[in-house]
Amino acid sequence: MSEAEVVAYETRGRVALLTITRPEKRNALDGQVRCAFLGAMERARRDTEIRAVVVTGAGDKAFVAGADIAEFEGRTAVDQWRVMKAASIYEAVERSPKPVIAAINGWCLGGGMELALACDLRVASTAARMGQPEVNLGIIPGGGGTQRLPRVVGLGAALRLILTGEVIGAEEALRLRLVDEVVEPAVLLDRALAIAALIASKSPVAVAAAKEATRAALSLPLDDGLKLETALFQVCFASADKAEGVRAFLEKRSPEFTGR
Ligand code: COA
């Protein structure tokens, strides 16, 4: 399969829909999928028409069932070290100025869970099954799971999932705030696309600044975070979108943001 086939790229208005398409392997992340995914994220970043991204998995069984375990067999530590020096799909998502929403349609395990954790919002179908089962393979999460999971669900729940490898259903994921919403499978994609479209209707300058400032809250001391917020607030004041947003409010009409 070509890269374009393993990660399908479609546009729905101002939203890019990325579908990881390897259903016969439960959309497991092999080298080709990772490379294609990075290409698709870069395409979304460069496309000035696109303002938000939705990521999902092909078929009705899996979002992503993790790293491709078959690639681990026989791989040396040095081989793996080299693989992990390559550009990271998780960082591409986390650093994307355009918000990324995971539409979790089934198995969401290991690297799939880590991909969802790197996303800005997670919508799950009632069929979603989520977990970090790496301990079953004698390894640990390597795509940021040990760091991002506790930041999303807190240390206790993260340790429980990572140490036991337990797989949880959508309702439990919602209870832990691992996902933001749970919907019926038939409406999952529409719901994720609707949230993305709502974000896409806002100022891209403000959205990118808001994502950067809010995410920085997890890594910066408060004083530094507040300084970053102030700086990004001022960046917004330099934008045509701020002028348009304020003018539209005063003129009692909807704003038309251009991202400038
Ligand atoms: N890597 C490589 N192949 C995988 C995979 C993965 N992470 N997950 C599933 N597959 C493959 C299976 O080997 C199988 O291939 P085959 O048809 O050539 O034998 C195919 O996908 C279908 O999987 P199967 O187990 O038959 O489907 P299922 O619906 O009964 O179960 C899972 C799905 C996801 C529960 C099960 O495949 C599984 O436990 N996968 C591994 C999950 C994991 O440990 N992920 C973390 C990796 S670090």
Side-chain angles (χ1 to χ4, degrees), residues 24-26 28 65 67-69 107 109-110 133-134 137:
E24 72 287 356
K25 295 289 181 188
R26 303 297 178 263
D68 189 314
I69 299 168
W107 295 109
L109 302 174
E134 287 86 349
L137 300 170

Side-chain angles (χ1 to χ4, degrees), residues 28-82:
L29 302 168
D30 65 359
Q32 189 190 28
V33 170
R34 285 171 199 273
C35 195
F37 187 85
L38 285 168
M41 283 301 298
E42 179 61 12
R43 183 171 166 190
R45 190 186 69 79
R46 292 165 71 107
D47 186 343
T48 53
E49 292 297 307
I50 294 301
R51 295 183 177 180
V53 178
V54 170
V55 177
T56 195
D60 58 3
K61 292 204 170 73
F63 173 69
V64 170
D68 189 314
I69 299 168
E71 286 187 341
F72 289 164
E73 197 181 18
R75 190 180 270 178
T76 67
V78 174
D79 292 340
Q80 186 60 30
W81 179 65
R82 288 203 179 100

